[in-house]
Amino acid sequence: MPAFEGLLPQKHDKIVQVLLFRLCEWHTLAKLRLHTETSLKLLGQSLRQLSDQIRKFQSCTCVAFQTVELPNEAAQRQRQEVAELQSGQRTKPSHSGPQCKTFNINTYKFHALGDYVGTIRMFGTTDSYTTQVVSVYPLHRLYYIADIHMKCRVNLLIESSRGFMGNQTRKMWSASSLHRSGGIQSSGGSAKP
């Protein structure tokens, strides 16, 4: 990795170089468009090597350097603290300088790395599915539809729990539901094939 070579002292530079290589290797194997049992075994081995290197990076390199939040992160945190002080949610301000930031491997992104092999076995390659929530309706329409659906369910539950859903109501309900599906054209007619 020539672009990163020599940026850190020799001991830490070697750790970072190996870590970058292991990340690239794992990523390349994870993004293959065709997997076999052999490629999945290689992905599992690559993950073990990557995990060892990440722990080595955390225990050796990260503790050797003191890192603090970026200036825009510190400014955002200070603005939020001022707003909390003005609204009364906070009673005393914290120190105003940049806070210390450490490398944290206890995040979902690191935790999810171990699930790739099983997920690929279950669902196929990572390019064949998405975890993005997809809808054909805009968000405000979904809220409207969900609200109507809940009102209908609540009304039906109340009527059925009272035990008196009159014949006229039953006819109207069944006619309107069949009308929506195209089965009945009028409320008193019979279903068309």
Side-chain angles (χ1 to χ4, degrees):
M1 308 287 166
F4 295 94
E5 196 170 350
L7 292 177
L8 299 170
Q10 181 62 31
K11 175 185 174 186
H12 303 297
D13 188 56
K14 175 90 170 139
I15 293 172
V16 170
Q17 292 290 323
V18 173
L19 176 62
L20 290 172
F21 176 79
R22 294 291 177 213
L23 282 167
C24 290
E25 178 186 42
W26 179 88
H27 187 261
T28 302
L29 287 168
K31 296 297 180 184
L32 285 176
R33 293 179 177 222
L34 178 67
H35 278 284
T36 62
E37 278 303 314
T38 306
S39 68
L40 290 175
K41 284 180 186 175
L42 285 173
L43 181 59
Q45 290 171 357
S46 175
L47 177 62
R48 283 188 287 282
Q49 292 170 339
L50 174 61
S51 301
D52 291 342
Q53 195 63 29
I54 287 173
R55 285 190 209 96
K56 188 174 184 179
F57 173 74
Q58 183 185 30
S59 63
C60 295
T61 304
C62 291
V63 297
F65 298 94
Q66 182 182 2
T67 54
V68 295
E69 61 188 353
L70 296 171
N72 60 346
E73 293 173 329
Q76 173 63 31
R77 183 179 46 79
Q78 289 170 353
R79 284 192 299 271
Q80 186 175 359
E81 286 177 3
V82 168
E84 288 174 356
L85 283 170
Q86 290 174 347
S87 67
Q89 294 176 350
R90 185 184 289 241
T91 56
K92 62 178 185 170
S94 65
H95 68 282
S96 61
Q99 289 185 347
C100 188
K101 296 292 248 182
T102 58
F103 181 66
N104 181 14
I105 62 171
N106 295 322
T107 62
Y108 177 74
K109 287 184 179 185
F110 283 109
H111 176 75
L113 294 179
D115 296 331
Y116 268 72
V117 172
T119 304
I120 290 170
R121 275 197 177 103
M122 189 179 299
F123 298 112
T125 58
T126 56
D127 65 332
S128 63
Y129 62 90
T130 180
T131 57
Q132 180 180 2
V133 177
V134 179
S135 173
V136 294
Y137 292 106
L139 191 58
H140 68 279
R141 292 287 297 158
L142 287 176
Y143 288 131
Y144 177 73
I145 291 168
D147 186 44
I148 290 174
H149 179 70
M150 284 305 294
K151 286 178 183 174
C152 289
R153 286 188 63 185
V154 168
N155 288 340
L156 284 175
L157 287 173
I158 291 171
E159 287 183 13
S160 63
S161 68
R162 290 182 184 160
F164 66 92
M165 191 169 170
N167 288 337
Q168 188 62 29
T169 308
R170 280 196 193 108
K171 283 181 187 175
M172 285 174 41
W173 177 256
S174 62
S176 64
S177 62
L178 288 173
H179 180 66
R180 283 191 299 258
S181 66
I184 292 182
Q185 300 303 322
S186 65
S187 62
S190 59
K192 294 183 179 181

